[in-house]
Amino acid sequence: MLDFLGDLKRTHMCGELRLSDAGRKAVLMGWVGRRRDLGSIIFVDLRDRSGITQVVFNREKNPAVHQKAEQLRNEYVIAVIGTVKQRDPETINKNIPSGEVELAVDELRILNVSKQPPFLPGDAGLANEETRLKYRYLDLRREVMQFNIEMRHKVAKAIRDYLSSQGFFEIETPFMTRSTPEGARDYLVPSRVQPGSFYALPQSPQLFKQILMISGFDKYFQIVRCFRDEDLRADRQPEFTQIDLEMSYPQPERVWEVVEGFLSAAFKAGGVEINPPFLRITYDQAILQYGNDKPDMRLPAMVDVRAALTPEELNELATKFRIHKELPIQLIRIPKAGDISGTERRTIGTYGAYQHVQGPSFVQLMTDPKRFAKDYPAISEKILSFAKIEPDDLWLLAGAIDKPESQAAREQSVQHFCEKCGFLRLDLAQKYAAKHGAFQKRDFRFLWVTDFPMFEWDKTEKRWNPAHHPFTSLHEEDMAKLEANIDSVNDPQSPLGEIRALAYDVVLNGTELGSGSIRIHRQDIQRKIFQALGMSEEEARARFGFFLEALEYGTPPHGGIALGLDRIVMILAGAESLREVIPFPKTARAVDLMVDAPTPVSAAQLKELGIQLKS
Ligand code: ASP
């Protein structure tokens, strides 16, 4: 028989009681966790989100209550009224904050029972993920998950508070809208009242936030759900949360300052002090020095050692190793990891393949510093001091063996070659750096990567596409280049590829946390961009007519950014996957296992929507 709650009121949370409460009456409510039945005494760990208190049922002192307590099972919901007691010294539990006290129970109300759960919140091992997601409500009862979701709340709140303090308004934008391009497929929602028409769930509130600037709100933000129907990679979610913001009249630096401000607040909420301003490098620098547009700054940059050598020395190396001296000769250094074995060194030799990265194959000049010093003593010495190599560092040199023909091909080769070296650098770091103290997860190195290219070549479609989105502004100085090449969307050699965007990414330890840009606020320039992208007037009107029209009514210069909240929380919670910090996530196949979505719908629903399925 279950008890009613009646007018009973809880006096404390389960994690709150302390020694100073000894002697006090308390009413606790929560779940039955670990239970030890010693015959005349029953101990129960009573749990709620704040923690646990040990509650004690004593047959001698209160036989009726003790007898009732014998019915208790895992995850029953109970209320207990009792007296807080200091624990005997030998039973103190130092692992929990309430471990010096226990509650001697005078009255027990069993408020609800529970089926035997498929796994218990206190289990040491983890159930498999499918079971966890199917019984998400039980999974969320686990201490780690409670911690993660609390962290999510704190981080979001810190961001809201910070942005509000800076004069940003949180403004909602519609979920049922028309598609805005962020490069993925849309989730579509059929309209019943207009059969054959569909809403799209937003991939981002991009155009709405720009319109809010046109509307005069000056500073907007939103912690907002976005939807992208992408082919799912391991740790992607079809719906995810962005910290989205936009402001009027900013220089890029102003946007960066705001982001640095709210990230500091967010990280502080997660117990981490960070120190803005973040480092800044251009996209071109990032590629040359890190082989990557989201460099991991926990390791030193690659160094092109050609600058340290005389033409004769350079020739000597180039001839000896058959490498191209017009392309960088990259020195890759992993601090303090020089003590790897000969076998490990030889394995590094095989990395040269890197077949999955396009571009010239490359050869390592050397992976054995002793041998190199013997063969090339003068060069070796110069390189060591130029790249500031310490005696216990692991380092190697990589040069490109292919001979690129044209200038454009050469630049492409530089990029591809550097990208390959970048992979090698990260691979070595993963293998060897961590054990020497570098490359630690909680060593947070933030970075702004700026001046991204405006357009990127799409090999499959054989055309230039926007590298960010088509509303991104270009550098004012690159305007002439745009105008001169406005009709070259299908030309892979077009200088369109050289045009720099006022686009930036904020990067943390090799992961892009967010990206944004200064936008185009002039209708004439927006038109030119569409033209450069090979989009006819009619097509542009059909897709973004409402926006092009809005641009014509006094649009102020504006810009903004969006950062992934899920990833930030994941990092702060020290979690391994986004699914650990999203209360109700989907699987890699975009399925919600708890509610079992997506599902087929009834024939009647389809009929109402005017939709017929192909069998
Ligand atoms: N809408 C962009 C995105 O979701 C961000 C931005 O440009 O502000 O990536």
Side-chain angles (χ1 to χ4, degrees), residues 226-277:
C226 299
F227 307 84
R228 294 184 193 174
D229 184 4
E230 289 177 292
D231 293 324
L232 292 155
R233 282 184 250 151
D235 203 14
R236 280 284 179 110
Q237 286 288 317
E239 51 178 311
F240 57 96
T241 304
Q242 290 205 319
I243 306 147
D244 191 50
L245 66 86
E246 196 75 9
M247 43 204 309
S248 292
Y249 308 106
Q251 294 295 337
E253 290 79 3
R254 179 70 193 120
V255 179
W256 305 344
E257 239 171 59
V258 168
V259 172
E260 287 167 355
F262 82 63
L263 279 178
S264 299
F267 273 67
K268 193 161 180 199
V272 179
E273 290 289 337
I274 59 176
N275 299 308

Short mmCIF file of all heavy atoms in Angstrom, two decimals, residues 226-277:
data_model
loop_
_atom_site.label_atom_id
_atom_site.label_comp_id
_atom_site.label_asym_id
_atom_site.label_seq_id
_atom_site.Cartn_x
_atom_site.Cartn_y
_atom_site.Cartn_z
N CYS A 226 19.12 24.53 -33.33
CA CYS A 226 19.25 24.56 -34.78
C CYS A 226 19.17 23.12 -35.28
O CYS A 226 19.45 22.18 -34.54
CB CYS A 226 20.58 25.18 -35.19
SG CYS A 226 20.73 26.89 -34.64
N PHE A 227 18.82 22.98 -36.54
CA PHE A 227 18.54 21.65 -37.08
C PHE A 227 19.27 21.46 -38.39
O PHE A 227 19.15 22.28 -39.30
CB PHE A 227 17.03 21.51 -37.32
CG PHE A 227 16.19 21.84 -36.12
CD1 PHE A 227 15.85 23.16 -35.83
CD2 PHE A 227 15.75 20.84 -35.27
CE1 PHE A 227 15.08 23.48 -34.71
CE2 PHE A 227 14.98 21.15 -34.15
CZ PHE A 227 14.65 22.47 -33.88
N ARG A 228 20.05 20.41 -38.50
CA ARG A 228 20.72 20.13 -39.78
C ARG A 228 20.64 18.65 -40.07
O ARG A 228 21.03 17.82 -39.26
CB ARG A 228 22.19 20.59 -39.73
CG ARG A 228 22.28 22.11 -39.60
CD ARG A 228 23.68 22.67 -39.65
NE ARG A 228 23.60 24.08 -39.20
CZ ARG A 228 24.63 24.89 -39.00
NH1 ARG A 228 25.86 24.45 -39.21
NH2 ARG A 228 24.44 26.13 -38.60
N ASP A 229 20.11 18.36 -41.25
CA ASP A 229 19.94 16.96 -41.63
C ASP A 229 21.19 16.51 -42.39
O ASP A 229 21.20 16.48 -43.60
CB ASP A 229 18.69 16.83 -42.50
CG ASP A 229 18.40 15.38 -42.85
OD1 ASP A 229 19.13 14.49 -42.36
OD2 ASP A 229 17.46 15.13 -43.62
N GLU A 230 22.22 16.20 -41.62
CA GLU A 230 23.49 15.84 -42.25
C GLU A 230 23.66 14.33 -42.20
O GLU A 230 23.06 13.66 -41.37
CB GLU A 230 24.65 16.51 -41.51
CG GLU A 230 24.67 17.99 -41.74
CD GLU A 230 25.78 18.66 -40.95
OE1 GLU A 230 25.69 18.68 -39.71
OE2 GLU A 230 26.71 19.16 -41.56
N ASP A 231 24.51 13.84 -43.09
CA ASP A 231 24.88 12.44 -42.96
C ASP A 231 25.64 12.36 -41.66
O ASP A 231 26.60 13.10 -41.45
CB ASP A 231 25.73 12.00 -44.14
CG ASP A 231 24.90 12.04 -45.41
OD1 ASP A 231 23.70 11.71 -45.32
OD2 ASP A 231 25.43 12.42 -46.47
N LEU A 232 25.18 11.47 -40.79
CA LEU A 232 25.65 11.61 -39.42
C LEU A 232 27.05 11.07 -39.23
O LEU A 232 27.34 9.95 -39.60
CB LEU A 232 24.65 10.96 -38.48
CG LEU A 232 23.35 11.76 -38.50
CD1 LEU A 232 22.19 10.88 -38.12
CD2 LEU A 232 23.44 12.97 -37.60
N ARG A 233 27.86 11.90 -38.67
CA ARG A 233 29.18 11.45 -38.23
C ARG A 233 29.04 11.07 -36.78
O ARG A 233 28.03 11.38 -36.13
CB ARG A 233 30.20 12.56 -38.42
CG ARG A 233 30.63 12.68 -39.87
CD ARG A 233 31.71 13.72 -40.01
NE ARG A 233 31.19 14.87 -40.72
CZ ARG A 233 31.63 16.10 -40.53
NH1 ARG A 233 32.57 16.33 -39.65
NH2 ARG A 233 31.15 17.11 -41.22
N ALA A 234 30.08 10.44 -36.26
CA ALA A 234 29.99 9.84 -34.93
C ALA A 234 29.37 10.78 -33.90
O ALA A 234 28.40 10.43 -33.25
CB ALA A 234 31.36 9.38 -34.50
N ASP A 235 29.92 11.98 -33.76
CA ASP A 235 29.44 12.80 -32.67
C ASP A 235 28.75 14.07 -33.18
O ASP A 235 29.18 15.17 -32.90
CB ASP A 235 30.58 13.13 -31.69
CG ASP A 235 30.03 13.47 -30.31
OD1 ASP A 235 28.85 13.20 -30.06
OD2 ASP A 235 30.79 14.00 -29.49
N ARG A 236 27.69 13.88 -33.94
CA ARG A 236 26.89 14.99 -34.42
C ARG A 236 25.48 14.78 -33.91
O ARG A 236 25.04 13.65 -33.75
CB ARG A 236 26.84 14.97 -35.95
CG ARG A 236 28.06 15.53 -36.61
CD ARG A 236 28.04 17.04 -36.55
NE ARG A 236 29.24 17.58 -37.17
CZ ARG A 236 29.25 18.23 -38.32
NH1 ARG A 236 28.14 18.42 -38.96
NH2 ARG A 236 30.38 18.68 -38.82
N GLN A 237 24.77 15.85 -33.72
CA GLN A 237 23.37 15.75 -33.36
C GLN A 237 22.55 16.50 -34.41
O GLN A 237 22.92 17.61 -34.78
CB GLN A 237 23.14 16.37 -31.97
CG GLN A 237 23.65 15.51 -30.82
CD GLN A 237 22.80 14.28 -30.60
OE1 GLN A 237 21.58 14.33 -30.64
NE2 GLN A 237 23.45 13.15 -30.39
N PRO A 238 21.45 15.92 -34.86
CA PRO A 238 20.62 16.61 -35.86
C PRO A 238 20.00 17.89 -35.30
O PRO A 238 19.76 18.83 -36.03
CB PRO A 238 19.55 15.59 -36.22
CG PRO A 238 19.59 14.56 -35.15
CD PRO A 238 20.96 14.58 -34.57
N GLU A 239 19.72 17.91 -34.00
CA GLU A 239 19.35 19.19 -33.40
C GLU A 239 20.37 19.52 -32.34
O GLU A 239 20.76 18.67 -31.55
CB GLU A 239 17.92 19.21 -32.86
CG GLU A 239 17.51 18.09 -31.95
CD GLU A 239 16.08 18.29 -31.46
OE1 GLU A 239 15.75 19.38 -31.00
OE2 GLU A 239 15.30 17.33 -31.55
N PHE A 240 20.84 20.74 -32.36
CA PHE A 240 21.91 21.13 -31.45
C PHE A 240 21.68 22.58 -31.07
O PHE A 240 20.83 23.25 -31.66
CB PHE A 240 23.27 20.94 -32.13
CG PHE A 240 23.38 21.69 -33.43
CD1 PHE A 240 23.98 22.95 -33.48
CD2 PHE A 240 22.86 21.17 -34.60
CE1 PHE A 240 24.06 23.66 -34.66
CE2 PHE A 240 22.93 21.88 -35.79
CZ PHE A 240 23.53 23.12 -35.82
N THR A 241 22.41 23.04 -30.08
CA THR A 241 22.13 24.38 -29.54
C THR A 241 23.28 25.33 -29.83
O THR A 241 24.43 24.99 -29.60
CB THR A 241 21.88 24.27 -28.03
OG1 THR A 241 20.83 23.34 -27.82
CG2 THR A 241 21.48 25.61 -27.44
N GLN A 242 22.92 26.48 -30.36
CA GLN A 242 23.95 27.48 -30.64
C GLN A 242 23.75 28.71 -29.76
O GLN A 242 22.62 29.08 -29.43
CB GLN A 242 23.89 27.92 -32.10
CG GLN A 242 24.34 26.84 -33.07
CD GLN A 242 24.86 27.41 -34.38
OE1 GLN A 242 24.31 28.35 -34.93
NE2 GLN A 242 25.93 26.83 -34.87
N ILE A 243 24.87 29.32 -29.41
CA ILE A 243 24.83 30.65 -28.81
C ILE A 243 25.01 31.58 -30.01
O ILE A 243 26.09 31.67 -30.57
CB ILE A 243 25.99 30.85 -27.83
CG1 ILE A 243 25.99 29.72 -26.79
CG2 ILE A 243 25.91 32.22 -27.16
CD1 ILE A 243 27.38 29.35 -26.33
N ASP A 244 23.91 32.19 -30.39
CA ASP A 244 23.87 32.91 -31.65
C ASP A 244 23.81 34.39 -31.34
O ASP A 244 23.01 34.81 -30.49
CB ASP A 244 22.61 32.47 -32.40
CG ASP A 244 22.59 32.96 -33.83
OD1 ASP A 244 23.60 32.75 -34.53
OD2 ASP A 244 21.57 33.54 -34.25
N LEU A 245 24.63 35.20 -31.97
CA LEU A 245 24.53 36.63 -31.68
C LEU A 245 24.83 37.48 -32.90
O LEU A 245 25.46 37.03 -33.86
CB LEU A 245 25.40 37.03 -30.49
CG LEU A 245 26.91 36.95 -30.59
CD1 LEU A 245 27.51 38.21 -31.20
CD2 LEU A 245 27.47 36.78 -29.18
N GLU A 246 24.34 38.70 -32.83
CA GLU A 246 24.53 39.64 -33.92
C GLU A 246 24.57 41.04 -33.34
O GLU A 246 23.90 41.33 -32.35
CB GLU A 246 23.35 39.50 -34.91
CG GLU A 246 23.59 40.13 -36.27
CD GLU A 246 24.54 39.33 -37.17
OE1 GLU A 246 24.91 38.19 -36.84
OE2 GLU A 246 24.94 39.88 -38.23
N MET A 247 25.40 41.90 -33.92
CA MET A 247 25.45 43.28 -33.44
C MET A 247 25.62 44.26 -34.60
O MET A 247 26.09 43.88 -35.67
CB MET A 247 26.54 43.46 -32.39
CG MET A 247 27.85 42.79 -32.70
SD MET A 247 28.84 42.42 -31.22
CE MET A 247 28.87 43.97 -30.37
N SER A 248 25.21 45.49 -34.35
CA SER A 248 25.29 46.52 -35.39
C SER A 248 26.57 47.31 -35.27
O SER A 248 27.04 47.58 -34.15
CB SER A 248 24.09 47.46 -35.29
OG SER A 248 22.92 46.76 -35.64
N TYR A 249 27.14 47.69 -36.38
CA TYR A 249 28.34 48.53 -36.50
C TYR A 249 29.60 47.96 -35.86
O TYR A 249 30.47 48.74 -35.45
CB TYR A 249 28.08 49.93 -35.90
CG TYR A 249 26.84 50.59 -36.44
CD1 TYR A 249 25.70 50.68 -35.65
CD2 TYR A 249 26.82 51.11 -37.73
CE1 TYR A 249 24.55 51.28 -36.14
CE2 TYR A 249 25.66 51.72 -38.23
CZ TYR A 249 24.54 51.79 -37.43
OH TYR A 249 23.41 52.38 -37.92
N PRO A 250 29.76 46.65 -35.71
CA PRO A 250 30.98 46.20 -35.03
C PRO A 250 32.16 46.07 -35.99
O PRO A 250 31.98 45.77 -37.16
CB PRO A 250 30.60 44.80 -34.55
CG PRO A 250 29.73 44.29 -35.64
CD PRO A 250 28.97 45.49 -36.18
N GLN A 251 33.35 46.35 -35.49
CA GLN A 251 34.55 45.84 -36.14
C GLN A 251 34.64 44.37 -35.71
O GLN A 251 34.11 44.02 -34.65
CB GLN A 251 35.80 46.60 -35.66
CG GLN A 251 35.83 48.06 -36.07
CD GLN A 251 35.94 48.24 -37.59
OE1 GLN A 251 36.41 47.34 -38.27
NE2 GLN A 251 35.47 49.37 -38.08
N PRO A 252 35.34 43.53 -36.47
CA PRO A 252 35.45 42.13 -36.03
C PRO A 252 35.95 42.02 -34.59
O PRO A 252 35.44 41.21 -33.80
CB PRO A 252 36.48 41.54 -37.00
CG PRO A 252 36.41 42.40 -38.22
CD PRO A 252 36.00 43.76 -37.77
N GLU A 253 36.90 42.88 -34.22
CA GLU A 253 37.47 42.82 -32.86
C GLU A 253 36.41 42.97 -31.78
O GLU A 253 36.53 42.40 -30.70
CB GLU A 253 38.52 43.93 -32.65
CG GLU A 253 39.80 43.75 -33.44
CD GLU A 253 39.66 44.17 -34.90
OE1 GLU A 253 38.59 44.67 -35.30
OE2 GLU A 253 40.64 43.99 -35.66
N ARG A 254 35.37 43.74 -32.08
CA ARG A 254 34.31 43.94 -31.07
C ARG A 254 33.54 42.63 -30.86
O ARG A 254 33.22 42.26 -29.73
CB ARG A 254 33.39 45.07 -31.54
CG ARG A 254 32.24 45.37 -30.62
CD ARG A 254 32.69 46.01 -29.30
NE ARG A 254 31.59 45.99 -28.33
CZ ARG A 254 31.63 45.37 -27.15
NH1 ARG A 254 32.73 44.74 -26.75
NH2 ARG A 254 30.60 45.39 -26.35
N VAL A 255 33.29 41.92 -31.96
CA VAL A 255 32.61 40.63 -31.84
C VAL A 255 33.50 39.67 -31.02
O VAL A 255 33.03 38.96 -30.13
CB VAL A 255 32.32 40.01 -33.23
CG1 VAL A 255 31.63 38.66 -33.09
CG2 VAL A 255 31.47 40.96 -34.07
N TRP A 256 34.80 39.72 -31.31
CA TRP A 256 35.71 38.80 -30.60
C TRP A 256 35.72 39.10 -29.10
O TRP A 256 35.73 38.18 -28.28
CB TRP A 256 37.14 38.90 -31.17
CG TRP A 256 37.19 38.67 -32.65
CD1 TRP A 256 36.22 38.11 -33.42
CD2 TRP A 256 38.25 39.03 -33.54
NE1 TRP A 256 36.61 38.08 -34.75
CE2 TRP A 256 37.85 38.64 -34.85
CE3 TRP A 256 39.49 39.63 -33.37
CZ2 TRP A 256 38.66 38.83 -35.97
CZ3 TRP A 256 40.30 39.82 -34.49
CH2 TRP A 256 39.89 39.43 -35.77
N GLU A 257 35.70 40.40 -28.79
CA GLU A 257 35.71 40.80 -27.38
C GLU A 257 34.48 40.26 -26.65
O GLU A 257 34.58 39.76 -25.52
CB GLU A 257 35.60 42.32 -27.34
CG GLU A 257 36.71 43.05 -26.65
CD GLU A 257 36.53 44.54 -26.91
OE1 GLU A 257 35.47 45.12 -26.54
OE2 GLU A 257 37.44 45.11 -27.52
N VAL A 258 33.33 40.36 -27.32
CA VAL A 258 32.09 39.89 -26.70
C VAL A 258 32.19 38.38 -26.47
O VAL A 258 31.84 37.86 -25.41
CB VAL A 258 30.88 40.23 -27.59
CG1 VAL A 258 29.64 39.50 -27.13
CG2 VAL A 258 30.66 41.73 -27.62
N VAL A 259 32.69 37.66 -27.47
CA VAL A 259 32.80 36.21 -27.34
C VAL A 259 33.78 35.85 -26.22
O VAL A 259 33.51 34.97 -25.39
CB VAL A 259 33.22 35.57 -28.68
CG1 VAL A 259 33.52 34.09 -28.50
CG2 VAL A 259 32.14 35.78 -29.73
N GLU A 260 34.91 36.56 -26.20
CA GLU A 260 35.88 36.29 -25.13
C GLU A 260 35.25 36.54 -23.77
O GLU A 260 35.49 35.80 -22.81
CB GLU A 260 37.12 37.17 -25.34
CG GLU A 260 37.97 36.68 -26.52
CD GLU A 260 39.03 37.69 -26.97
OE1 GLU A 260 39.07 38.81 -26.42
OE2 GLU A 260 39.82 37.34 -27.88
N GLY A 261 34.41 37.57 -23.70
CA GLY A 261 33.73 37.88 -22.44
C GLY A 261 32.78 36.78 -22.01
O GLY A 261 32.83 36.30 -20.88
N PHE A 262 31.95 36.31 -22.95
CA PHE A 262 30.98 35.30 -22.48
C PHE A 262 31.63 33.94 -22.30
O PHE A 262 31.21 33.15 -21.45
CB PHE A 262 29.69 35.30 -23.30
CG PHE A 262 29.69 34.55 -24.61
CD1 PHE A 262 29.88 33.18 -24.67
CD2 PHE A 262 29.41 35.23 -25.79
CE1 PHE A 262 29.84 32.50 -25.88
CE2 PHE A 262 29.37 34.56 -27.00
CZ PHE A 262 29.59 33.19 -27.05
N LEU A 263 32.71 33.68 -23.07
CA LEU A 263 33.41 32.40 -22.83
C LEU A 263 34.11 32.43 -21.46
O LEU A 263 34.12 31.42 -20.75
CB LEU A 263 34.42 32.13 -23.94
CG LEU A 263 33.82 31.54 -25.23
CD1 LEU A 263 34.90 31.34 -26.28
CD2 LEU A 263 33.09 30.22 -24.96
N SER A 264 34.67 33.57 -21.10
CA SER A 264 35.28 33.66 -19.77
C SER A 264 34.24 33.38 -18.70
O SER A 264 34.50 32.64 -17.74
CB SER A 264 35.87 35.05 -19.52
OG SER A 264 36.86 35.32 -20.47
N ALA A 265 33.06 33.99 -18.87
CA ALA A 265 32.00 33.78 -17.88
C ALA A 265 31.57 32.31 -17.87
O ALA A 265 31.38 31.72 -16.80
CB ALA A 265 30.81 34.68 -18.20
N ALA A 266 31.44 31.72 -19.06
CA ALA A 266 31.00 30.33 -19.13
C ALA A 266 32.03 29.40 -18.50
O ALA A 266 31.70 28.50 -17.73
CB ALA A 266 30.77 29.94 -20.59
N PHE A 267 33.30 29.64 -18.83
CA PHE A 267 34.35 28.76 -18.28
C PHE A 267 34.47 28.95 -16.77
O PHE A 267 34.72 28.01 -16.04
CB PHE A 267 35.68 28.96 -19.01
CG PHE A 267 35.78 28.10 -20.24
CD1 PHE A 267 34.95 28.32 -21.33
CD2 PHE A 267 36.67 27.02 -20.30
CE1 PHE A 267 35.00 27.50 -22.46
CE2 PHE A 267 36.74 26.20 -21.41
CZ PHE A 267 35.90 26.44 -22.49
N LYS A 268 34.27 30.18 -16.32
CA LYS A 268 34.31 30.42 -14.89
C LYS A 268 33.20 29.63 -14.21
O LYS A 268 33.41 29.02 -13.16
CB LYS A 268 34.14 31.92 -14.63
CG LYS A 268 34.47 32.30 -13.24
CD LYS A 268 34.75 33.78 -13.14
CE LYS A 268 35.07 34.10 -11.69
NZ LYS A 268 34.91 35.51 -11.40
N ALA A 269 32.02 29.63 -14.83
CA ALA A 269 30.92 28.85 -14.27
C ALA A 269 31.29 27.37 -14.23
O ALA A 269 30.81 26.61 -13.39
CB ALA A 269 29.66 29.05 -15.10
N GLY A 270 32.17 26.96 -15.12
CA GLY A 270 32.63 25.57 -15.12
C GLY A 270 33.91 25.39 -14.31
O GLY A 270 34.55 24.35 -14.39
N GLY A 271 34.29 26.40 -13.55
CA GLY A 271 35.43 26.28 -12.65
C GLY A 271 36.78 26.53 -13.31
O GLY A 271 37.81 26.15 -12.77
N VAL A 272 36.78 27.15 -14.49
CA VAL A 272 38.05 27.33 -15.20
C VAL A 272 38.27 28.82 -15.51
O VAL A 272 37.38 29.48 -16.05
CB VAL A 272 38.03 26.55 -16.55
CG1 VAL A 272 39.34 26.77 -17.31
CG2 VAL A 272 37.80 25.07 -16.31
N GLU A 273 39.43 29.33 -15.12
CA GLU A 273 39.78 30.71 -15.46
C GLU A 273 40.46 30.73 -16.81
O GLU A 273 41.43 30.00 -17.03
CB GLU A 273 40.76 31.28 -14.43
CG GLU A 273 40.18 31.53 -13.05
CD GLU A 273 39.20 32.70 -12.99
OE1 GLU A 273 39.27 33.59 -13.88
OE2 GLU A 273 38.35 32.69 -12.08
N ILE A 274 39.99 31.54 -17.72
CA ILE A 274 40.72 31.69 -18.98
C ILE A 274 41.13 33.15 -19.13
O ILE A 274 40.56 34.02 -18.47
CB ILE A 274 39.90 31.22 -20.19
CG1 ILE A 274 38.59 32.00 -20.31
CG2 ILE A 274 39.63 29.73 -20.10
CD1 ILE A 274 37.80 31.62 -21.55
N ASN A 275 42.12 33.38 -19.99
CA ASN A 275 42.68 34.72 -20.05
C ASN A 275 42.62 35.36 -21.43
O ASN A 275 43.56 35.27 -22.19
CB ASN A 275 44.14 34.69 -19.60
CG ASN A 275 44.27 34.20 -18.18
OD1 ASN A 275 43.61 34.72 -17.29
ND2 ASN A 275 45.07 33.16 -17.98
N PRO A 276 41.53 36.02 -21.75
CA PRO A 276 41.50 36.76 -23.00
C PRO A 276 42.46 37.96 -22.93
O PRO A 276 42.83 38.33 -21.82
CB PRO A 276 40.06 37.23 -23.11
CG PRO A 276 39.36 36.83 -21.87
CD PRO A 276 40.31 36.14 -20.98
N PRO A 277 42.81 38.58 -24.02
CA PRO A 277 42.38 38.24 -25.37
C PRO A 277 43.05 36.98 -25.88
O PRO A 277 44.17 36.66 -25.50
CB PRO A 277 42.83 39.46 -26.19
CG PRO A 277 43.96 40.04 -25.42
CD PRO A 277 43.66 39.79 -23.97
#
